[in-house]
Amino acid sequence: MLKEGVGMAQDDEAGLCQTHAICLHAFSDLSHTLPTVFMYLLKECYVHGTRKATAKFRTLQQQVMQALCNSPKPGPATFIMQSLFVFPVLEAPYSEGFSHLVISALRRFLKVQTMYGYEDFVAARLMAARLFLYSIDGIMIYEEGVLIKLLEVVDVKLKDIEQAMSSVEVTDDNFKAAKARVELYISRLIQSQSYMLAVSFLEQFSIQNCDESLLNRMIQENQFKAAEKWASFVGKPMLCMLIKKYVELKMLTNAYDIIKKNDLKQEFPDVYDICKESSLRKLAEKGCWDVAEERTHNDIKFVEYLVYMAMEAGYNEKVDELCDRYSLKGFAATKGPESNVSRTPYLDLNELIVEDIIWVDDVDGLLSATSHIEECKVVGIDCEWKPNYEKGSKPNKVSIMQIASEKKVFILDLIKLSQDYPNVLDSCLTRVLHSSSVLKLGYNLQCDLKQLAHSYDEMQCFKHYEMLLDIQNVFKEPKGGLSGLAKKILGAGLNKTRRNSNWEQRPLTQNQMEYAALDAAVLVHIFHHVRDQQNTASINDDDGKVEWKSYIVSHMDNNIKKGKTRKKYKSKRVHDKEAKVPVDSN
């Protein structure tokens, strides 16, 4: 019996609500169930189901897979094939949809059920071959997507098509006739520009036609995925031909991907180097120097290219770092005097009078930091995590959290602390983040809070906040982010070259420590600068006066549901008259 949740019909008339379940008791014993009855039950279940179409489809697919264990005759695979012979009598869209459903269910069944009979599978393969022939001859109507899926699930080959065409003794002539018939069908797909389907059928029947014209035709029609699939199937000569075509069309990224995927670097060294250098340059332009270095894979040629880019950018610190790490010679003399390089002045920690940067990765340090922060009226908060450029992969965990007072910056190693002392970390950060007497400053706070909640969803401290002020909302700086705002308010911006570095490496470099500390400390100094300029809590901005007190969020709940990326904020802004803004801070 299929679950009631799949097939339910509701009838609400004259205030009476009656629920009728479609009872599919025959599914519990398929030994006496005909394919026509099976088809009818599926249709009734789908038609009267109250769920959305996709949910009904998936649930029915799972139930059909389970039902195939209930002794269908003559066997699970042949039972599905017999059902497929019946489905075309259904009106659209049931015929196509149910065909996909039962084929997918059979595919799953065959993966988990290793004890099904060999004779059943062989018989099903022959039936699938016949169904394919009936379809291409127009006797039965099945769309190509269903046919290729059917052939794949029971692994139909040319010899099966040959057997389905003739019951006489197998001969070379019969095999050639079967191949010719299949090739004629595939040629029709090519003529109709159904290239991906044509390639799928060529692969299924192992027909390796090395005709360059087909490749050229797919490229001319911008069917690049089909062209790559076809070339990969045919082999190295066709792949090399495709790479040359891409180079002629200046599609170097496509050529580079094929070279990497198929290990053809030796065949196309110049193309590989050009594309590799282009990839490294894009990372460097984004400030992802550490990621770029990692992707050189210690190839000195590409490391040296990275050095040249760092010199071009005036990033002498990176030049020295790479030269020292890889024992490169001859670059120091070519850098030129630093005074000759015209660069925008950046803020540093000495200008902000930061006395100490304290690394926190144990209980004593955490407790000491918490006690100091609780005595402050205003702190700046920022977070860093290792960038992730792998498409489709999850973001990395937040690695460090920086909390700055006016004179000190504490850098919390969240990864180590959450592993070694999770309860203590949760308790200490709760004391800070849930405190209504400490104003927490941030820039683009929602991004950091979302990342913290996803990284450490088991910790209570990141589920609730008191007294937050996102400086981004106050000034709405259109360009340059926090660096642009610092330049506008304090007269100098921030050096962001370390922004996308590897924040999971331990220990962090001194430059990373200073960068991280500065991002948190500058928030406090921007706040004090504005407060000291005007005790009325406003400064003149390009668009008029900016009232920052009204942007303080007194309370925020950060609810993250597992499996979803939805984030629900419950916040209340403090009005000017209600805001208890500190006039002094430690």
Side-chain angles (χ1 to χ4, degrees):
M1 178 178 179
L2 292 182
K3 293 180 180 178
E4 290 186 356
V6 181
M8 299 289 291
Q10 301 244 354
D11 184 18
D12 187 2
E13 190 173 12
L16 297 176
C17 180
Q18 297 179 343
T19 303
H20 304 283
I22 299 176
C23 219
L24 304 178
H25 59 277
F27 274 47
S28 61
D29 180 10
L30 290 183
S31 60
H32 294 87
T33 302
L34 296 175
T36 49
V37 175
F38 177 78
M39 173 204 71
Y40 172 79
L41 292 173
L42 277 180
K43 181 180 177 182
E44 289 300 298
C45 191
Y46 186 87
V47 169
H48 295 285
T50 56
R51 297 183 184 181
K52 291 183 179 180
T54 302
K56 286 191 291 187
F57 184 92
R58 290 177 178 172
T59 306
L60 278 172
Q61 184 185 67
Q62 179 66 23
Q63 293 299 312
V64 169
M65 187 194 80
Q66 295 176 0
L68 291 177
C69 300
N70 298 329
S71 304
K73 300 298 181 183
T78 50
F79 184 83
I80 291 297
M81 295 305 149
Q82 290 171 349
S83 300
L84 288 169
F85 275 92
V86 179
F87 281 159
V89 303
L90 295 174
E91 59 186 28
Y94 300 113
S95 175
E96 181 181 335
F98 286 170
S99 298
H100 280 291
L101 189 154
V102 297
I103 293 172
S104 297
L106 178 60
R107 187 199 302 272
R108 293 187 179 187
F109 172 81
L110 295 175
K111 282 183 179 180
V112 300
Q113 195 72 21
T114 58
M115 299 302 293
Y116 57 86
Y118 176 73
E119 292 182 359
D120 172 47
F121 191 78
V122 171
R125 182 184 292 162
L126 182 59
M127 292 179 68
R130 287 173 178 159
L131 193 148
F132 170 74
L133 291 171
Y134 291 161
S135 183
I136 66 176
D137 287 343
I139 299 173
M140 300 180 67
I141 306 300
Y142 270 111
E143 61 103 21
E144 290 82 3
V146 172
L147 290 179
I148 189 60
K149 195 171 183 179
L150 172 65
L151 300 179
E152 289 173 349
V153 76
V154 290
D155 196 26
V156 174
K157 298 297 183 183
L158 279 175
K159 59 182 178 60
D160 303 304
I161 301 298
E162 176 191 10
Q163 186 178 356
M165 286 174 58
S166 174
S167 58
V168 298
E169 184 180 354
V170 176
T171 65
D172 289 341
D173 289 339
N174 289 337
F175 184 82
K176 290 177 181 178
K179 184 180 180 182
R181 196 165 177 184
V182 170
E183 286 179 334
L184 178 61
Y185 170 69
I186 294 173
S187 68
R188 292 204 299 263
L189 291 176
I190 294 172
Q191 291 301 320
S192 65
Q193 299 183 350
S194 300
Y195 296 112
M196 188 62 81
L197 281 168
V199 171
S200 296
F201 281 106
L202 286 168
E203 284 187 335
Q204 183 61 36
F205 291 114
S206 301
I207 301 174
Q208 288 196 339
N209 181 1
C210 300
D211 186 0
E212 185 180 350
S213 63
L214 175 57
L215 186 69
N216 289 333
R217 186 166 179 173
M218 288 189 282
I219 292 175
Q220 289 170 3
E221 298 291 338
N222 296 327
Q223 297 293 316
F224 302 119
K225 288 185 178 180
E228 291 171 14
K229 181 179 173 70
W230 168 235
S232 298
F233 168 63
V234 173
K236 186 174 178 179
M238 192 66 72
L239 283 168
C240 292
M241 200 176 297
L242 177 59
I243 292 170
K244 291 176 182 177
K245 298 289 184 184
Y246 278 155
V247 172
E248 290 173 8
L249 296 171
K250 297 183 179 180
M251 298 174 61
L252 296 182
T253 301
N254 299 63
Y256 181 57
D257 289 341
I258 296 176
I259 291 171
K260 284 196 304 179
K261 191 182 298 182
N262 298 279
D263 194 21
L264 296 173
K265 184 167 67 172
Q266 291 183 350
E267 284 75 11
F268 297 93
D270 293 339
V271 177
Y272 179 83
D273 288 354
I274 292 171
C275 295
K276 185 72 172 181
E277 289 174 358
S278 175
S279 173
L280 294 175
R281 176 171 287 278
K282 288 178 182 178
L283 288 170
E285 288 173 350
K286 294 178 182 178
C288 306
W289 294 95
D290 291 341
V291 178
E293 181 185 347
E294 184 179 316
R295 293 191 182 177
T296 64
H297 300 295
N298 299 325
D299 188 321
I300 296 300
K301 176 172 55 180
F302 296 122
V303 173
E304 289 180 346
Y305 181 74
L306 206 56
V307 171
Y308 282 118
M309 284 192 293
M311 291 168 59
E312 183 182 295
Y315 189 6
N316 291 342
E317 173 201 327
K318 192 67 181 179
V319 173
D320 294 337
E321 182 183 321
L322 290 171
C323 288
D324 290 342
R325 186 174 299 133
Y326 295 94
S327 301
L328 301 178
K329 305 296 182 183
F331 286 97
T334 62
K335 288 191 298 182
E338 204 166 316
S339 58
N340 292 336
V341 181
S342 176
R343 290 194 295 176
T344 305
Y346 294 122
L347 279 175
D348 61 41
L349 290 171
N350 292 329
E351 293 179 78
L352 298 183
I353 322 177
V354 172
E355 297 175 350
D356 204 1
I357 303 174
I358 303 170
W359 178 257
V360 179
D361 64 357
D362 59 24
V363 170
D364 291 340
L366 186 56
L367 293 174
S368 176
T370 304
S371 297
H372 175 86
I373 295 166
E374 284 184 307
E375 294 176 359
C376 300
K377 299 298 183 183
V378 178
V379 295
I381 294 180
D382 191 41
C383 298
E384 306 292 347
W385 56 90
K386 181 181 178 181
N388 191 341
Y389 296 98
E390 296 298 327
K391 189 175 181 180
S393 59
K394 294 181 180 179
N396 290 309
K397 273 190 172 187
V398 174
S399 177
I400 60 172
M401 172 186 276
Q402 310 96 272
I403 305 179
S405 65
E406 189 174 358
K407 302 293 185 183
K408 295 182 178 181
V409 181
F410 299 92
I411 301 181
L412 279 57
D413 185 351
L414 291 185
I415 293 179
K416 186 175 187 299
L417 291 170
S418 64
Q419 291 174 348
D420 297 348
Y421 319 105
N423 295 333
V424 179
L425 177 63
D426 202 355
S427 173
C428 288
L429 287 181
T430 296
R431 287 161 56 185
V432 173
L433 301 177
H434 296 196
S435 171
S436 58
S437 62
V438 180
L439 178 63
K440 277 77 69 175
L441 309 173
Y443 191 89
N444 192 14
L445 262 175
Q446 286 195 13
C447 178
D448 286 349
L449 300 184
K450 177 180 179 180
Q451 196 70 11
L452 285 166
H454 279 296
S455 299
Y456 305 99
D457 61 346
E458 72 283 356
M459 296 181 64
Q460 296 302 309
C461 59
F462 300 130
K463 294 182 175 13
H464 173 79
Y465 301 92
E466 298 281 347
M467 291 295 284
L468 298 176
L469 176 59
D470 191 338
I471 289 181
Q472 183 186 45
N473 295 335
V474 177
F475 294 97
K476 298 181 174 64
E477 191 65 21
K479 294 180 181 179
L482 181 58
S483 178
L485 180 60
K487 184 177 181 181
K488 180 177 181 179
I489 303 298
L490 303 177
L494 305 174
N495 188 338
K496 307 299 287 186
T497 54
R498 286 287 172 184
R499 177 184 57 188
N500 292 318
S501 60
N502 181 5
W503 294 103
E504 291 183 5
Q505 69 179 7
R506 297 294 182 266
L508 296 180
T509 66
Q510 184 62 30
N511 288 300
Q512 283 180 305
M513 293 279 286
E514 291 178 1
Y515 170 90
L518 193 57
D519 262 14
V522 74
L523 297 168
V524 178
H525 283 264
I526 289 174
F527 172 84
H528 283 313
H529 183 86
V530 174
R531 185 200 62 184
D532 294 341
Q533 287 291 316
Q534 289 187 331
N535 290 328
T536 57
S538 67
I539 64 169
N540 290 325
D541 194 37
D542 294 340
D543 300 324
K545 288 187 175 182
V546 176
E547 301 289 342
W548 56 264
K549 280 186 179 180
S550 62
Y551 286 94
I552 296 176
V553 176
S554 64
H555 172 89
M556 180 183 290
D557 287 330
N558 185 16
N559 299 317
I560 299 289
K561 293 184 178 180
K562 287 187 176 181
K564 296 184 179 180
T565 56
R566 290 180 54 193
K567 189 168 189 174
K568 184 179 180 182
Y569 288 98
K570 295 181 180 178
S571 61
K572 179 182 178 182
R573 286 181 178 174
V574 180
H575 296 291
D576 288 358
K577 294 180 180 179
E578 299 173 349
K580 297 180 181 179
V581 181
V583 295
D584 209 0
S585 64
N586 296 325

